[in-house]
Amino acid sequence: MEDLKIYNDFNQYIKALKRIADKSLIVIAVRDALTFSNYNHKELYNELQSIGFSINLNGSFRESYIGILNKGTVLYEERAKDVLTPLSYNSNGIQVISKGYSCGNFCSIKKDGDEYALNGIGLNIVVFDAEENNFIDSVSVNLLKESVTMSRYEKSAWENKLLELKRFGIQPFTFYLPKLDDIQNKSDWETLLYNLIIESGNRQATQGIIAKNVDKYYELSGMNTCYDSIEEFKEHLNNPCRVLRGNLYSKNVYYKGKYLNIDWAGRRMVTDTPADYDFTVHMFGDSVGLLWEIKDSDTAASRLQNLFNVNGIKAKVINYSVAGLSLDNIMNYITDSEIKQGDIVVVLCSGGKSDRRRESWLKRNGIYSEYMVEEFQRPHNYGEVFYDANHFNHNGLKVVAEIMFDKINDYLQTMTYRPVVDKPKGVLPPPNFQSYPHGLLKLKNIKNKSAA
């Protein structure tokens, strides 16, 4: 199969598509608009049609369009005649959505549940090997200017870091939590909170309103089932957690309290950590992992530790989360931390719709990633799960920990290791490998052999 990734010019790309069309599954979806009337790309549309599609897109402005070509045969093709009409296709493992500018300004191309479209302005083209069923390429083509531009998904330093960890034998997991904006059919509390955000304009102002009306919001938010008294809750509203800002990443400042504790290394306390353990789960995150409004025992990290304990898995969880950390900050923090081969790295962050593309890319490269928006759509029986617009309360974090545990436990049952050549910066040299039937790596034994 010809390598499409060598082409960055759309004219050359179309010619390459024509050469491999009889062996490929080619899926096209439009987002936003194709072209303005003063830019004539008629020849490009004719070339695109010559691949095997039936509909000529010349003259299309803000209309939706889906085209699916399998081994030169059109499986589905439709162009909306009305700019307000979205299009969708769902069959044989392929799900495609096209929404022009006036009806949603969005597109999606999924295969077997994984997102492949870049959701860029204009044409979004995804190509698969129809015979081997493999992903080949994904591009977006912006025709809104006289000069046509073509883009691909480029790995960030963050994704390269995750791949580096995996190659070294440290399995990464990434979990992104939804924000209140992402929830449909909101509860009465969620609706009230959402309206507060609109009225106040930002999260900080909303927190101020909650603090001034703490008696009212204490019960509405479900926090009265987390704390024994409102006085306990007020201690956390004062945000006792302070941050030491650095040029590469930040750390929490030492704090000792009744319900919130930070150790001298800047790590949030994880309750019930074992003295005897086989491997370490290093949790990095932003404010959703730290959550000063939540007691030590109710954070996602402590909940995860409890699930390991009750299920007989000898793991120790460390919580490095700091409010305000970006993915680049987290990458630097991971690099600067002592993480050993056989350990697990969990990243827990605020998410959003834009994380869908990263989620699918990571999964295709063997790194589990999940944006948990579906799990928290109502109806559900979790009770109130949001404390504010971006953060979960103890009920929501209990569910988050259960999801994380299930995914990590699935991995532990099939865990295998292979030698590596390179050593990521900041990580200790690899110990010798050993395999065990149940998949858990006995790091203590390996450490002893390495020391010997």
Side-chain angles (χ1 to χ4, degrees):
M1 180 72 72
E2 185 172 355
D3 185 7
L4 294 176
K5 292 184 174 66
I6 65 174
Y7 300 108
N8 295 308
D9 176 80
F10 190 46
N11 281 291
Q12 297 298 319
Y13 195 78
I14 293 176
K15 291 180 172 62
L17 286 179
K18 289 174 67 174
R19 291 193 292 269
I20 67 170
D22 60 334
K23 301 176 182 178
S24 305
L25 172 64
I26 302 172
V27 186
I28 300 177
V30 167
R31 175 202 153 193
D32 195 317
L34 286 180
T35 185
F36 289 123
S37 58
N38 53 328
Y39 298 134
N40 188 353
H41 299 304
K42 182 177 180 180
E43 291 184 3
L44 286 178
Y45 294 130
N46 290 339
E47 285 291 319
L48 191 63
Q49 189 178 14
S50 69
I51 296 173
F53 292 102
S54 303
I55 298 175
N56 192 304
L57 296 178
N58 189 44
S60 175
F61 178 37
R62 288 178 169 172
E63 299 173 4
S64 307
Y65 170 82
I66 293 175
I68 304 175
L69 193 70
N70 187 41
K71 295 183 177 180
T73 301
V74 174
L75 291 184
Y76 177 88
E77 189 176 22
E78 187 171 359
R79 170 181 167 182
K81 295 180 180 180
D82 192 319
V83 296
L84 298 176
T85 303
L87 298 174
S88 64
Y89 173 89
N90 188 351
S91 182
N92 300 319
I94 301 292
Q95 297 173 279
V96 188
I97 298 172
S98 173
K99 297 180 179 181
Y101 177 85
S102 302
C103 62
N105 196 13
F106 173 77
C107 80
S108 172
I109 299 174
K110 292 183 179 181
K111 189 173 189 297
D112 300 325
D114 288 338
E115 180 63 68
Y116 290 89
L118 298 185
N119 193 30
I121 293 173
L123 293 172
N124 288 263
I125 305 173
V126 179
V127 184
F128 302 92
D129 185 324
E131 297 175 349
E132 300 294 332
N133 201 32
N134 295 328
F135 166 73
I136 301 298
D137 197 19
S138 176
V139 301
S140 65
V141 185
N142 188 339
L143 298 109
L144 287 181
K145 298 180 180 180
E146 186 173 4
S147 176
V148 177
T149 57
M150 192 171 77
S151 304
R152 285 186 177 86
Y153 183 76
E154 298 293 337
K155 296 195 300 292
S156 65
W158 163 246
E159 281 130 340
N160 283 324
K161 169 58 67 177
L162 295 179
L163 290 176
E164 186 181 51
L165 290 171
K166 183 175 175 62
R167 189 177 70 249
F168 184 68
I170 298 168
Q171 179 62 36
F173 290 79
T174 61
F175 298 95
Y176 300 95
L177 301 189
K179 300 178 182 179
L180 188 57
D181 283 347
D182 304 317
I183 303 301
Q184 308 298 320
N185 303 316
K186 297 176 176 61
S187 69
D188 290 344
W189 160 245
E190 290 167 348
T191 300
L192 174 62
L193 181 58
Y194 186 71
N195 290 336
L196 276 177
I197 297 165
I198 295 174
E199 293 170 7
S200 61
N202 59 61
R203 173 179 171 263
Q204 286 73 23
T206 304
Q207 286 184 316
I209 294 173
I210 293 175
K212 290 178 181 178
N213 299 273
V214 63
D215 297 276
K216 175 181 179 181
Y217 296 121
Y218 178 62
E219 293 194 15
L220 287 175
S221 65
M223 299 302 283
N224 60 330
T225 61
C226 177
Y227 291 98
D228 296 330
S229 70
I230 195 169
E231 284 70 28
E232 295 179 6
F233 181 50
K234 286 179 179 179
E235 176 189 336
H236 290 256
L237 279 180
N238 292 329
N239 181 15
C241 190
R242 297 292 179 259
V243 174
L244 181 65
R245 299 293 178 189
N247 61 329
L248 296 178
Y249 62 92
S250 303
K251 277 192 173 184
N252 301 308
V253 175
Y254 173 82
Y255 179 82
K256 184 173 179 58
K258 185 176 180 181
Y259 309 104
L260 186 153
N261 292 275
I262 305 292
D263 69 15
W264 287 106
R267 303 172 302 195
R268 178 79 190 264
M269 176 186 282
V270 177
T271 55
D272 300 319
T273 54
D276 182 26
Y277 54 94
D278 293 332
F279 63 96
T280 304
V281 177
H282 305 265
M283 182 180 291
F284 296 84
D286 55 16
S287 56
V288 302
L290 176 69
L291 271 180
W292 63 74
E293 297 94 346
I294 301 297
K295 293 191 292 186
D296 290 331
S297 58
D298 285 324
T299 63
S302 290
R303 294 276 193 177
L304 181 61
Q305 180 69 72
N306 177 259
L307 289 170
F308 284 136
N309 295 347
V310 299
N311 285 279
I313 297 176
K314 299 174 73 174
K316 177 182 178 179
V317 180
I318 301 176
N319 187 359
Y320 304 81
S321 299
V322 181
L325 284 191
S326 67
L327 288 180
D328 286 340
N329 295 150
I330 292 173
M331 177 186 69
N332 293 330
Y333 205 165
I334 291 172
T335 300
D336 203 33
S337 299
E338 185 178 304
I339 304 173
K340 298 179 177 64
Q341 190 170 34
D343 285 353
I344 289 173
V345 168
V346 171
V347 177
L348 179 66
C349 290
S350 301
K353 297 181 177 65
S354 61
D355 293 313
R356 285 298 198 187
R357 187 173 66 189
R358 177 184 292 118
E359 174 187 324
S360 294
W361 185 91
L362 290 172
K363 284 183 178 178
R364 293 199 299 273
N365 286 274
I367 299 169
Y368 187 83
S369 181
E370 182 168 352
Y371 173 43
M372 299 185 190
V373 65
E374 283 84 7
E375 287 81 356
F376 290 97
Q377 297 296 342
R378 294 184 181 276
H380 59 62
N381 60 356
Y382 309 144
E384 296 301 341
V385 296
F386 279 93
Y387 162 68
D388 65 15
N390 298 334
H391 300 96
F392 283 9
N393 66 12
H394 58 294
N395 294 328
L397 293 176
K398 178 176 182 292
V399 180
V400 169
E402 290 170 352
I403 294 171
M404 292 193 299
F405 173 79
D406 286 342
K407 302 308 178 185
I408 294 172
N409 191 42
D410 287 345
Y411 162 72
L412 291 175
Q413 303 310 312
T414 59
M415 188 164 62
T416 58
Y417 293 92
R418 66 182 189 276
V420 295
V421 178
D422 300 323
K423 179 180 76 66
K425 179 184 176 183
V427 182
L428 294 182
N432 295 325
F433 291 105
Q434 285 194 14
S435 299
Y436 291 85
H438 63 311
L440 294 178
L441 185 66
K442 304 291 186 181
L443 270 184
K444 288 187 302 178
N445 296 340
I446 292 176
K447 289 177 189 173
N448 291 338
K449 289 193 175 186
S450 297

